[in-house]
Amino acid sequence: MMYYLARLVSWIACNLPEGMAEAIGNFLGGLTWCVVPGWRKKMAKDNIMMCLGVDEKEAESIAKASWVRFGPMLMEVLRFPKMVKNLTERVEIVGDGAKLLHDGLALGKGAIIATAHSGNWELMGGALSAMGFPIVGVAQKQKEADFDRFINEYRRMVGMHITYKGDVREMYDMLKKGWIIGLLMDQDISIRDGIVFDWFGRPTNFVQGPGAFARYRGAPLFPGYIHRLPNGNHQIIIYPPIFVQKTNDKHKDIREAMEKVSVVLEKHIRQYPEEWFWMHDRWKSMRNRNPEDRRGME
């Protein structure tokens, strides 16, 4: 039932004028901001102040903008059936990004794009696919089967091959076949599965996946993100590739690669702070490891 309801809402969104769709998205984003729990708003605000060195008023503004943007982003996803017709006109790769990807794929080892919950990451993979790049989107399986069906159907609609996070074997197989694996790498995970190093000047727990995949194949690892312009179009920014060393110390190789990726991500977030998902409890695992560090939770 939910699947068909989502399709109906999508049909309505596709038939709205673009300006009206964006206005509705902004309204929904602002409306839902009112029901975000106070502790989560404070956590985001405190993290912004510590990471960016801004005052409380600016931090609150960034936190709100970071949340409200999900309204227009949702409307864009719902409008995928319409946007797919002219996706490459709405999204461009800036600078040498396209050449970097083509040169990386020419090595014959596939490639990894390490991206983040910044901008409309759902749109990024589809746009790259529409430009002719073979993209594998790695998805988190949703608890609600109808919604999982809907969102993955829309991801495939814009050209991506979708696999679930747990299907590591398929990801390795697709990498061998020369595909680009797109991985979100900015969320907190368990201490057991992550690697810890300083990010934004504080110990942070990072995923290992992008570095591990790139090391396995000797594939280029590209930090890459999407940025929304004031006119509603988007830019994809692909940074120069990182090549992971393959020594006898696997952990060190992956750690060094992920530290390099994290430097680029921090730079990107500093440039476009309102586009990153500050509402995620990014330092939860570190706080659990050190209960005395309750910053952002009191």
Side-chain angles (χ1 to χ4, degrees):
M1 181 67 176
M2 182 177 286
Y3 169 80
Y4 295 103
L5 178 60
R7 288 301 302 262
L8 174 61
V9 173
S10 173
W11 180 83
I12 294 171
C14 287
N15 284 280
L16 291 174
E18 185 175 343
M20 182 180 293
E22 181 166 355
I24 291 172
N26 282 313
F27 172 77
L28 291 174
L31 184 65
T32 55
W33 171 252
C34 299
V35 298
V36 175
W39 72 265
R40 189 169 289 278
K41 290 180 179 179
K42 185 177 188 304
M43 173 207 68
K45 184 178 66 176
D46 288 351
N47 283 334
I48 292 168
M49 287 191 291
M50 280 185 283
C51 290
L52 303 181
V54 299
D55 61 27
E56 185 173 355
K57 183 177 180 181
E58 186 173 353
E60 187 170 348
S61 175
I62 291 171
K64 182 177 180 180
S66 169
W67 177 269
V68 170
R69 72 184 179 86
F70 277 92
M73 178 178 165
L74 171 63
M75 294 304 292
E76 285 178 335
V77 172
L78 291 172
R79 287 167 59 85
F80 272 4
K82 186 169 185 176
M83 290 183 69
V84 71
K85 299 172 184 177
N86 64 341
L87 203 51
T88 56
E89 297 174 16
R90 300 295 306 275
V91 186
E92 65 169 344
I93 304 181
V94 297
D96 295 329
K99 183 178 186 303
L100 289 172
L101 288 178
H102 282 300
D103 290 349
L105 288 175
L107 299 174
K109 297 179 180 293
I112 309 294
I113 293 180
T115 191
H117 293 83
S118 182
N120 191 342
W121 66 89
E122 292 286 356
L123 187 60
M124 180 177 175
L128 288 171
S129 295
M131 295 171 190
F133 294 103
I135 300 292
V136 177
V138 180
Q140 174 71 47
K141 191 165 189 175
Q142 304 298 312
K143 293 180 181 178
E144 172 56 56
D146 277 358
F147 181 70
D148 190 72
R149 175 187 173 189
F150 172 79
I151 188 62
N152 285 326
E153 183 177 294
Y154 272 45
R155 287 164 174 161
R156 294 185 180 100
M157 179 189 299
V158 290
M160 288 186 283
H161 175 91
I162 299 299
T163 188
Y164 289 117
K165 286 176 64 176
D167 202 343
V168 177
R169 183 180 296 276
E170 182 181 10
M171 286 184 254
Y172 278 124
D173 288 344
M174 297 300 285
L175 194 59
K176 287 180 181 178
K177 293 175 182 177
W179 286 66
I180 300 173
I181 312 295
L183 294 171
L184 290 160
M185 47 73 66
D186 59 329
Q187 287 197 314
D188 197 17
I189 58 171
S190 70
I191 287 290
R192 179 192 62 197
D193 297 328
I195 45 178
V196 177
F197 49 79
D198 280 359
W199 188 58
F200 279 108
R202 57 197 294 199
T204 307
N205 185 27
F206 266 87
V207 301
Q208 303 188 55
F213 276 107
R215 183 182 184 276
Y216 168 75
R217 282 289 294 165
L221 170 57
F222 296 94
Y225 314 102
I226 187 168
H227 164 60
R228 193 175 197 267
L229 298 169
N231 66 1
N233 290 344
H234 299 259
Q235 293 179 334
I236 294 175
I237 306 163
I238 301 294
Y239 292 88
I242 295 162
F243 289 92
V244 186
Q245 297 294 317
K246 200 166 188 178
T247 70
N248 291 329
D249 192 339
K250 178 181 178 181
H251 180 80
K252 179 174 178 289
D253 296 342
I254 294 172
R255 178 191 179 90
E256 288 179 350
M258 293 309 300
E259 284 183 319
K260 292 176 182 176
V261 171
S262 77
V263 168
V264 180
L265 175 57
E266 180 176 331
K267 176 185 174 183
H268 183 82
I269 292 171
R270 288 184 182 278
Q271 187 171 2
Y272 305 112
E274 296 88 354
E275 293 193 326
W276 192 55
F277 186 37
W278 291 98
M279 289 295 153
H280 172 61
D281 195 354
R282 184 63 184 86
W283 284 273
K284 180 179 180 180
S285 65
M286 300 305 300
R287 190 171 60 250
N288 289 343
R289 190 173 75 165
N290 180 19
E292 293 182 2
D293 184 4
R294 303 297 296 174
R295 292 174 292 181
M297 296 298 294
E298 300 298 335

